[in-house]
Amino acid sequence: MSERKVLNKYYPPDFDPCKIPKLKLPKDRQYVVRLMAPFNMRCKTCGEYIYKGKKFNARKETVMNELYMGLPIFRFYIKCTRCLAEITFKTDPENTDYAMEHGATRNFQAEKLLEEEEKRIVQDREEEELNNPMKVLENRTKDSKMEMEVLENLQELKELNQRQAQVDFEGMIDRYSDFEKREKEREKEEDERETKEMLDRALVKRLRDSDSDSEKEEEDSSGSQAKKPSTDKPTDILTTLKPTEALGSSAGGVKKAKVETWERSVGTLGGKGALGLLVVRKKPAATFLKPRPVAAASVPTSQTDSKSSTTDSKNASKPVTTQNGSSSLSLLGAYSDSDSNDSE
């Protein structure tokens, strides 16, 4: 099935456009167009009013042997809406308008008629002055005289109005100047008052800001003093204990509860917890007792016995530790036995 909307036509190979017959149409043929009435008109036959903008199916034709600067002029035929009488009008490119031709009269043409009359008078005057220099002089004197009369009439009207109105123009000017001065002073006072209020608000705001800043600094300094403890080493905070005697019973209970929870979760420093490895205790060096030399023979035995007893008691009270950290009670016993044998 062929397409419905075909854009290209088929031309056979033996197509010859010269063989196509040409239409011979008359030059003054008419076309049917749709238009609106270009102006208000009244039918001459029945007196019906046809207003501007009413639509018609009109016949259009080109006016023969009539041009305006190479532009063709068209004529339109319409029918009256009441009596069906034929009305014709044509274009007027000279005045960019339409001209009524037959069957009706154009309404509301007072302004157009006045303009046409003025144009006609000006043209007649120019034609007269073109060939008659005396007419030019007469027209100039008439114009000047007319201007002087107009000015005199205007001055008389002004004086008449002043006599009837009895208006004091000097007083009006003075009052207006006084009013302007008062307005300027009032505006100046308002500006000064607004600037003063703005400065006061800015001063109050600055004072408030300074007070708040000083308070914040005091609070920060007091808080830093309360929060910063006097510690020499980072690990001292784990071993230092704050005195709780100054606090009340409630504060002491809270402190004990905190210590108990800490010990349960982490453990004490002396225990085998994780924090016990942070603090390393310094191990004391091993001390050995030197054997006492034998006493001289001149010294009595009682004194030697007392000295040996005192030294034995002192050595027994002070246990000796070795590098491994074990007590040397056996060594003390051996030395005591040797001392007793010597004394004997």
Side-chain angles (χ1 to χ4, degrees):
M1 188 174 78
S2 62
E3 295 181 1
R4 291 175 60 251
K5 296 181 179 180
V6 181
L7 300 177
N8 298 324
K9 304 292 185 181
Y10 172 72
Y11 295 98
D14 55 349
F15 174 74
D16 188 5
C18 297
K19 295 180 180 179
I20 298 173
K22 294 182 180 180
L23 292 174
K24 294 181 180 180
L25 298 175
K27 294 182 179 180
D28 58 347
R29 59 178 179 160
Q30 295 180 352
Y31 301 93
V32 177
V33 294
R34 182 80 170 172
L35 58 80
M36 291 186 291
F39 45 79
N40 298 324
M41 64 185 79
R42 185 181 181 185
C43 180
K44 289 183 179 179
T45 305
C46 63
E48 178 71 13
Y49 286 98
I50 300 171
Y51 299 100
K52 180 180 179 180
K54 191 171 180 62
K55 293 183 179 181
F56 291 95
N57 291 325
R59 290 178 288 113
K60 170 189 163 185
E61 68 177 5
T62 304
V63 180
M64 301 300 297
N65 302 325
E66 191 172 352
L67 297 172
Y68 175 75
M69 299 179 67
L71 298 175
I73 295 173
F74 301 102
R75 182 181 288 114
F76 300 95
Y77 297 88
I78 61 173
K79 291 183 179 181
C80 178
T81 57
R82 184 176 180 183
C83 63
L84 300 177
E86 193 174 53
I87 300 170
T88 61
F89 56 89
K90 60 182 179 179
T91 57
D92 187 9
E94 183 179 359
N95 300 316
T96 63
D97 198 1
Y98 291 87
M100 194 71 211
E101 192 174 22
H102 175 72
T105 56
R106 185 171 179 174
N107 298 334
F108 306 107
Q109 276 187 309
E111 186 177 359
K112 187 177 180 180
L113 294 174
L114 181 62
E115 291 176 358
E116 290 178 355
E117 186 66 21
E118 289 177 355
K119 286 181 181 180
R120 186 180 60 78
I121 292 170
V122 170
Q123 287 177 358
D124 294 342
R125 183 176 177 177
E126 288 177 356
E127 289 177 359
E128 289 178 357
E129 291 177 355
L130 186 62
N131 299 323
N132 192 356
M134 294 299 296
K135 192 71 174 178
V136 175
L137 183 60
E138 290 178 0
N139 291 334
R140 287 179 181 176
T141 53
K142 284 181 180 179
D143 293 339
S144 61
K145 188 176 180 181
M146 184 68 69
E147 288 178 0
M148 292 175 65
E149 289 178 357
V150 169
L151 291 174
E152 289 176 358
N153 293 332
L154 183 60
Q155 188 67 25
E156 289 178 359
L157 291 173
K158 286 182 179 179
E159 292 175 358
L160 182 62
N161 291 332
Q162 289 179 1
R163 286 197 302 270
Q164 290 180 354
Q166 295 180 357
V167 179
D168 187 8
F169 293 102
E170 297 294 334
M172 289 176 65
I173 293 169
D174 294 337
R175 286 195 296 274
Y176 183 71
S177 62
D178 295 338
F179 177 74
E180 283 186 346
K181 288 180 181 179
R182 288 197 299 272
E183 287 292 326
K184 288 180 180 179
E185 290 176 357
R186 185 177 61 81
E187 291 177 357
K188 189 176 180 180
E189 290 176 357
E190 288 181 356
D191 295 339
E192 291 178 355
R193 181 172 53 80
E194 289 179 357
T195 53
K196 188 176 180 181
E197 290 178 356
M198 291 172 67
L199 291 174
D200 293 339
R201 286 198 297 270
L203 182 60
V204 170
K205 187 175 180 182
R206 288 178 182 176
L207 291 174
R208 289 178 180 174
D209 294 340
S210 62
D211 294 339
S212 62
D213 293 339
S214 62
E215 290 177 359
K216 286 181 180 178
E217 289 177 358
E218 290 176 359
E219 291 177 358
D220 294 340
S221 61
S222 62
S224 62
Q225 291 176 1
K227 288 180 181 179
K228 288 182 180 179
S230 58
T231 56
D232 297 333
K233 295 180 181 180
T235 57
D236 290 345
I237 194 170
L238 301 174
T239 59
T240 55
L241 295 175
K242 293 182 181 179
T244 58
E245 289 80 2
L247 301 175
S249 60
S250 61
V254 173
K255 185 69 178 177
K256 289 178 181 179
K258 289 183 178 179
V259 171
E260 290 175 359
T261 54
W262 175 266
E263 290 177 355
R264 283 199 303 270
S265 61
V266 178
T268 58
L269 295 175
K272 297 180 180 179
L275 292 177
L277 301 175
L278 296 176
V279 180
V280 180
R281 292 182 179 178
K282 187 175 181 181
K283 297 179 181 180
T287 58
F288 297 97
L289 292 174
K290 295 180 180 180
R292 188 169 56 86
V294 179
S298 63
V299 179
T301 57
S302 62
Q303 291 180 357
T304 56
D305 294 337
S306 63
K307 287 180 180 179
S308 62
S309 62
T310 53
T311 53
D312 293 338
S313 62
K314 287 180 180 180
N315 293 329
S317 62
K318 292 182 180 179
V320 178
T321 58
T322 60
Q323 291 182 357
N324 296 328
S326 61
S327 60
S328 59
L329 294 175
S330 60
L331 294 174
L332 288 172
Y335 283 120
S336 63
D337 293 339
S338 64
D339 292 338
S340 61
N341 293 331
D342 293 336
S343 64
E344 288 176 358

